[in-house]
Amino acid sequence: MKLVCFDDYRLGVQNGEGVVDITHLVTDVPEAWKPLRMIRLIEEFDALKGQIEQAAQSGPALPLDSVRLLAPLPRPGKVMAAPSNYMRHVREMVAEDSPLAKIGLFLKASSAVTGPSQPIVLPYADRRTDHESELVMVIGKRASKVSAEEALDYVFGYTCGLDITVRGDEDRSQRKSFDSFSPLGPCIVTADEIPDPQTLEINLWVNDDHRQHAFTKDMREDCRNIIERMSAVMTMEPGDVIFTGTPEGVGPLAPGDTVRINIEKVGEMAVAVVPSYA
Ligand code: MN
């Protein structure tokens, strides 16, 4: 099942023809909190699943090009991220004995999340700002101190993420939390469609330049172990997301670029790059 958020924070399920509006299935979210509707759908998914499947079959569907896709989770509660999770990326950035080469955990501001129809806004004319293409896990159930063996039971689904990053010496959370620095999309693919997240191919292009090509099997720490390690630190809630790290091939963005990420079985999203400066 492919779930989207579109237009004025409406919820949709994709079928072969387009997007079927299922906003009416989530009835208890106040209008002022509509960016949180998808979190509510995730919490209630077991009860709503049958109705969502039925809606996908019976339609009517809006053509995909007639809706404005937002991030499928416009305001996740937490945005966790795994740095340095592909060795060839570590080697392109730092010495292997650098503290920055260690696997770890950082948080990105949830206000940095945007979607396929919104541009990446470059904050500085004079500093390098890079793309990082990443598989993103969406948490489905409260998860605290879960084991690697059970970890995937807590994953609701997957989406594509761009971990946009200003290079420099500041803390990661500062360099990666500018508004628009966490595009997510185009949809959440539910976990039943991806039984093994370590089998996926990731590609990224900037304009026609093929910059990143990798496989999730090459993660230093796989999705299961990321959840075990991070859930030992902080309780994860439905709708929290985890960026699983970038493979090699990161590079700078410039005003006017279009960044396109494709993850096998998850989907493809292309976003524009604009400057904040004149
Ligand atoms: Mn990253």
Side-chain angles (χ1 to χ4, degrees), residues 81-85 89 106 108 131-134 161-165 167 172 176 243-247 250:
S84 304
N85 203 26
H89 167 62
F106 63 92
K108 303 190 73 172
H131 56 80
E132 298 188 350
S133 58
E134 309 197 13
L162 295 168
D163 176 16
I164 305 302
T165 304
R167 295 296 168 202
R172 284 190 176 102
K176 293 167 174 277
F243 280 71
T244 59
T246 188
V250 303

Short mmCIF file of all heavy atoms in Angstrom, two decimals, residues 81-85 89 106 108 131-134 161-165 167 172 176 243-247 250, ligand 1:
data_model
loop_
_atom_site.label_atom_id
_atom_site.label_comp_id
_atom_site.label_asym_id
_atom_site.label_seq_id
_atom_site.Cartn_x
_atom_site.Cartn_y
_atom_site.Cartn_z
N ALA A 81 18.52 10.08 12.84
CA ALA A 81 19.35 9.80 11.66
C ALA A 81 20.63 9.08 12.06
O ALA A 81 21.18 9.32 13.14
CB ALA A 81 19.68 11.09 10.92
N ALA A 82 21.06 8.21 11.15
CA ALA A 82 22.28 7.43 11.35
C ALA A 82 23.38 8.03 10.49
O ALA A 82 23.31 7.99 9.26
CB ALA A 82 22.03 5.98 10.95
N PRO A 83 24.42 8.62 11.09
CA PRO A 83 25.54 9.14 10.30
C PRO A 83 26.52 8.02 9.96
O PRO A 83 26.57 6.98 10.63
CB PRO A 83 26.18 10.14 11.26
CG PRO A 83 25.97 9.54 12.61
CD PRO A 83 24.62 8.84 12.54
N SER A 84 27.26 8.24 8.91
CA SER A 84 28.41 7.37 8.58
C SER A 84 28.03 5.90 8.50
O SER A 84 28.74 5.04 9.01
CB SER A 84 29.52 7.55 9.64
OG SER A 84 29.90 8.90 9.72
N ASN A 85 26.92 5.61 7.81
CA ASN A 85 26.44 4.22 7.81
C ASN A 85 26.79 3.44 6.55
O ASN A 85 26.36 2.31 6.39
CB ASN A 85 24.94 4.18 8.06
CG ASN A 85 24.49 2.84 8.62
OD1 ASN A 85 25.29 2.13 9.26
ND2 ASN A 85 23.26 2.45 8.36
N HIS A 89 31.11 5.99 1.82
CA HIS A 89 30.81 7.41 2.06
C HIS A 89 31.74 7.96 3.15
O HIS A 89 32.26 9.07 3.04
CB HIS A 89 29.35 7.61 2.46
CG HIS A 89 29.07 8.99 3.01
ND1 HIS A 89 29.26 10.13 2.27
CD2 HIS A 89 28.67 9.40 4.23
CE1 HIS A 89 28.96 11.19 3.01
NE2 HIS A 89 28.61 10.78 4.22
N PHE A 106 21.95 11.22 15.41
CA PHE A 106 21.68 12.65 15.59
C PHE A 106 20.22 12.91 15.26
O PHE A 106 19.54 12.08 14.65
CB PHE A 106 22.62 13.53 14.75
CG PHE A 106 22.50 13.35 13.26
CD1 PHE A 106 21.65 14.16 12.52
CD2 PHE A 106 23.24 12.39 12.59
CE1 PHE A 106 21.54 14.02 11.13
CE2 PHE A 106 23.14 12.23 11.22
CZ PHE A 106 22.30 13.05 10.49
N LYS A 108 17.38 15.61 13.53
CA LYS A 108 17.13 16.74 12.65
C LYS A 108 15.83 17.40 13.12
O LYS A 108 14.92 16.70 13.58
CB LYS A 108 16.95 16.29 11.20
CG LYS A 108 18.13 15.51 10.62
CD LYS A 108 17.96 15.33 9.10
CE LYS A 108 18.21 16.63 8.37
NZ LYS A 108 18.26 16.46 6.89
N HIS A 131 23.73 17.00 -1.14
CA HIS A 131 22.63 16.03 -1.12
C HIS A 131 23.12 14.74 -0.47
O HIS A 131 24.29 14.35 -0.65
CB HIS A 131 22.15 15.72 -2.54
CG HIS A 131 23.25 15.24 -3.43
ND1 HIS A 131 23.73 13.94 -3.43
CD2 HIS A 131 24.00 15.90 -4.34
CE1 HIS A 131 24.70 13.82 -4.29
NE2 HIS A 131 24.90 15.00 -4.87
N GLU A 132 22.25 14.07 0.27
CA GLU A 132 22.50 12.71 0.75
C GLU A 132 21.22 11.92 0.50
O GLU A 132 20.16 12.29 1.00
CB GLU A 132 22.86 12.70 2.24
CG GLU A 132 24.13 13.48 2.57
CD GLU A 132 24.59 13.31 4.02
OE1 GLU A 132 23.83 12.76 4.82
OE2 GLU A 132 25.72 13.74 4.33
N SER A 133 21.30 10.84 -0.26
CA SER A 133 20.12 10.03 -0.57
C SER A 133 20.00 8.91 0.45
O SER A 133 20.96 8.18 0.70
CB SER A 133 20.24 9.43 -1.98
OG SER A 133 21.42 8.66 -2.09
N GLU A 134 18.82 8.78 1.06
CA GLU A 134 18.71 7.82 2.17
C GLU A 134 17.36 7.10 2.20
O GLU A 134 16.32 7.71 1.99
CB GLU A 134 18.94 8.54 3.50
CG GLU A 134 20.23 9.36 3.49
CD GLU A 134 20.73 9.77 4.85
OE1 GLU A 134 20.24 9.23 5.87
OE2 GLU A 134 21.64 10.63 4.89
N GLY A 161 14.28 9.70 1.43
CA GLY A 161 14.64 10.92 2.13
C GLY A 161 15.90 11.54 1.57
O GLY A 161 16.81 10.85 1.10
N LEU A 162 15.93 12.86 1.59
CA LEU A 162 17.15 13.60 1.26
C LEU A 162 17.61 14.28 2.54
O LEU A 162 16.86 15.07 3.13
CB LEU A 162 16.87 14.64 0.16
CG LEU A 162 16.48 14.05 -1.20
CD1 LEU A 162 15.94 15.15 -2.12
CD2 LEU A 162 17.67 13.36 -1.85
N ASP A 163 18.81 13.93 2.99
CA ASP A 163 19.39 14.53 4.19
C ASP A 163 20.31 15.64 3.72
O ASP A 163 21.49 15.42 3.49
CB ASP A 163 20.14 13.46 4.99
CG ASP A 163 20.84 14.02 6.21
OD1 ASP A 163 20.51 15.15 6.62
OD2 ASP A 163 21.72 13.32 6.75
N ILE A 164 19.74 16.84 3.55
CA ILE A 164 20.50 17.95 2.99
C ILE A 164 21.40 18.52 4.10
O ILE A 164 20.98 18.65 5.25
CB ILE A 164 19.56 19.03 2.41
CG1 ILE A 164 18.61 18.39 1.38
CG2 ILE A 164 20.35 20.17 1.80
CD1 ILE A 164 19.29 17.71 0.21
N THR A 165 22.62 18.83 3.73
CA THR A 165 23.68 19.06 4.72
C THR A 165 24.62 20.17 4.30
O THR A 165 25.22 20.10 3.22
CB THR A 165 24.51 17.76 4.87
OG1 THR A 165 23.65 16.68 5.20
CG2 THR A 165 25.59 17.91 5.92
N ARG A 167 28.16 21.56 4.74
CA ARG A 167 29.44 21.03 5.22
C ARG A 167 30.11 22.05 6.15
O ARG A 167 30.00 23.25 5.92
CB ARG A 167 30.37 20.68 4.06
CG ARG A 167 29.84 19.55 3.17
CD ARG A 167 29.74 18.23 3.93
NE ARG A 167 28.97 17.24 3.14
CZ ARG A 167 28.37 16.18 3.68
NH1 ARG A 167 28.43 15.95 4.99
NH2 ARG A 167 27.70 15.35 2.93
N ARG A 172 26.10 18.39 13.76
CA ARG A 172 25.27 17.91 12.64
C ARG A 172 23.86 18.48 12.69
O ARG A 172 23.27 18.84 11.68
CB ARG A 172 25.21 16.39 12.64
CG ARG A 172 26.47 15.71 12.12
CD ARG A 172 26.19 14.22 11.95
NE ARG A 172 27.33 13.51 11.37
CZ ARG A 172 28.19 12.78 12.09
NH1 ARG A 172 28.04 12.64 13.39
NH2 ARG A 172 29.19 12.15 11.49
N LYS A 176 22.14 20.34 9.44
CA LYS A 176 21.17 19.53 8.71
C LYS A 176 19.72 19.87 9.02
O LYS A 176 18.83 19.14 8.64
CB LYS A 176 21.42 18.04 9.03
CG LYS A 176 22.75 17.51 8.51
CD LYS A 176 23.07 16.15 9.13
CE LYS A 176 24.31 15.51 8.53
NZ LYS A 176 24.05 14.79 7.28
N PHE A 243 16.31 8.35 9.29
CA PHE A 243 17.18 8.34 8.11
C PHE A 243 18.29 7.30 8.35
O PHE A 243 18.94 7.34 9.41
CB PHE A 243 17.81 9.72 7.90
CG PHE A 243 16.92 10.74 7.24
CD1 PHE A 243 15.85 11.28 7.92
CD2 PHE A 243 17.16 11.16 5.94
CE1 PHE A 243 15.03 12.24 7.31
CE2 PHE A 243 16.35 12.12 5.32
CZ PHE A 243 15.28 12.65 6.01
N THR A 244 18.50 6.42 7.38
CA THR A 244 19.40 5.29 7.61
C THR A 244 20.82 5.50 7.09
O THR A 244 21.62 4.58 7.08
CB THR A 244 18.82 4.01 7.01
OG1 THR A 244 18.64 4.21 5.61
CG2 THR A 244 17.50 3.64 7.66
N GLY A 245 21.13 6.71 6.67
CA GLY A 245 22.50 7.01 6.25
C GLY A 245 22.65 7.08 4.74
O GLY A 245 21.88 6.48 4.00
N THR A 246 23.66 7.84 4.32
CA THR A 246 23.87 8.01 2.88
C THR A 246 25.02 7.15 2.39
O THR A 246 26.03 7.00 3.08
CB THR A 246 24.14 9.47 2.51
OG1 THR A 246 24.15 9.58 1.06
CG2 THR A 246 25.50 9.95 3.01
N PRO A 247 24.86 6.62 1.18
CA PRO A 247 26.01 5.97 0.54
C PRO A 247 26.93 7.02 -0.09
O PRO A 247 26.70 8.22 0.03
CB PRO A 247 25.36 5.10 -0.54
CG PRO A 247 24.07 5.76 -0.84
CD PRO A 247 23.63 6.48 0.41
N VAL A 250 28.06 11.74 -2.45
CA VAL A 250 27.45 13.01 -2.10
C VAL A 250 28.17 14.14 -2.83
O VAL A 250 29.33 14.00 -3.21
CB VAL A 250 27.50 13.27 -0.57
CG1 VAL A 250 26.82 12.15 0.19
CG2 VAL A 250 28.92 13.48 -0.08
MN MN B 1 22.79 11.55 6.23
#
